[in-house]
Amino acid sequence: MNSVNLPPASRDLTRLLRLCMHPTILHHPSVPAPYHLHDSNSSTATMATTVFANGTLHQFTLPLPFSAAATIRAHLTVHPHHLRLFLTTTSSDGSSGGLAPLGSFVYALPSATGGLPLSTPLCVREESVETATRLAKILVKKCGRPAFVGCSMSFKSAGRGGAPEEEMEGVRRVVEMVVARVKEADMAVKEKKAEEVEKEWEGEKGEKGAGGVVAAVTGAVEAGMQKLGIAEKT
């Protein structure tokens, strides 16, 4: 961290975000049922998912493009109304263990006029703020919701030392993974809501039964007669 005088609230936020990027949290053994994801970009991508009441947590790794000794680690939380994504890179030899640097932290949201997404940096590190901003805006556009992106990825270990093409390829792979996870989470939410509606409907039918249906039809007929001013014959 640079020697910058931050207010207490900002220091607490920075510490929290640094803790969220700790390798122990990124790959905690308590995460249930981790599974391997094989995509068209890399057969060594891995991911673990945890489902919460108000969202899903996805932790995945990707090999750093054009590098044989570095990995991109991601910590993604998908909420119905926003995303939180933290990214860092680690070396396969374990030399980058310990707390991962926070890097830049950017907030982006859709434009009210339907134009390009808007963004603002909440924590700036010159080496990563451009990548974090680009990622945040792309995710807002593709996922249709605000995004918080923390990024301390480094492409120095790539074949050309972090050339623009190498960085763009890394961003592309991260975006593909995140968008796929968001679509899966949204589909799961829709299916869950459909199941709840179906259960509620089945419960109402079970409670009413045939007698309930007759009573409902009778009530509707009586309401129509009253509206037309027709008196029921006694």
Side-chain angles (χ1 to χ4, degrees):
M1 297 291 291
N2 296 339
S3 57
V4 179
N5 293 325
L6 297 174
S10 298
R11 289 198 298 268
D12 292 342
L13 175 61
T14 301
R15 182 173 181 273
L16 174 61
L17 296 177
R18 285 175 62 84
L19 289 174
C20 289
M21 292 301 295
H22 193 283
T24 303
I25 297 177
L26 286 176
H27 297 277
H28 196 275
S30 64
V31 175
Y35 60 91
H36 295 282
L37 177 70
H38 300 279
D39 61 10
S40 58
N41 295 320
S42 172
S43 61
T44 59
T46 61
M47 188 178 71
T49 301
T50 307
V51 180
F52 299 101
N54 59 346
T56 55
L57 170 64
H58 307 270
Q59 302 170 88
F60 59 87
T61 64
L62 288 168
L64 188 71
F66 312 106
S67 173
T71 301
I72 298 174
R73 296 183 183 270
H75 187 284
L76 169 68
T77 306
V78 180
H79 287 273
H81 304 295
H82 73 275
L83 308 174
R84 289 200 308 271
L85 175 65
F86 297 95
L87 297 162
T88 191
T89 48
T90 57
S91 59
S92 59
D93 58 8
S95 60
S96 57
L99 284 175
L102 170 62
S104 296
F105 189 55
V106 176
Y107 172 62
L109 71 163
S111 172
T113 60
L116 295 175
L118 308 175
S119 67
T120 181
L122 304 178
C123 182
V124 177
R125 296 292 179 269
E126 293 298 330
E127 65 274 12
S128 59
V129 65
E130 185 177 346
T131 303
T133 301
R134 182 182 298 115
L135 273 166
K137 288 185 174 182
I138 293 175
L139 293 177
V140 167
K141 188 173 182 180
K142 288 186 173 292
C143 301
R145 69 198 74 181
F148 295 86
V149 175
C151 177
S152 62
M153 290 193 300
S154 172
F155 294 88
K156 292 181 179 179
S157 60
R160 296 171 57 189
E165 296 81 4
E166 295 170 331
E167 182 175 343
M168 289 175 61
E169 178 64 16
V171 168
R172 184 186 67 81
R173 294 189 185 185
V174 170
V175 169
E176 286 184 353
M177 288 285 286
V178 171
V179 171
R181 305 292 77 76
V182 171
K183 288 181 178 179
E184 289 180 1
D186 289 347
M187 183 62 66
V189 170
K190 290 180 181 179
E191 291 176 353
K192 185 176 180 180
K193 288 183 177 179
E195 291 177 359
E196 291 175 352
V197 171
E198 184 177 356
K199 288 180 180 179
E200 184 178 352
W201 170 245
E202 292 293 337
E204 290 179 355
K205 287 200 302 182
E207 291 177 359
K208 289 181 178 180
V213 173
V214 173
V217 173
T218 302
V221 172
E222 290 177 347
M225 292 174 63
Q226 291 177 3
K227 186 175 181 180
L228 296 173
I230 300 175
E232 183 179 0
K233 293 182 180 180
T234 58

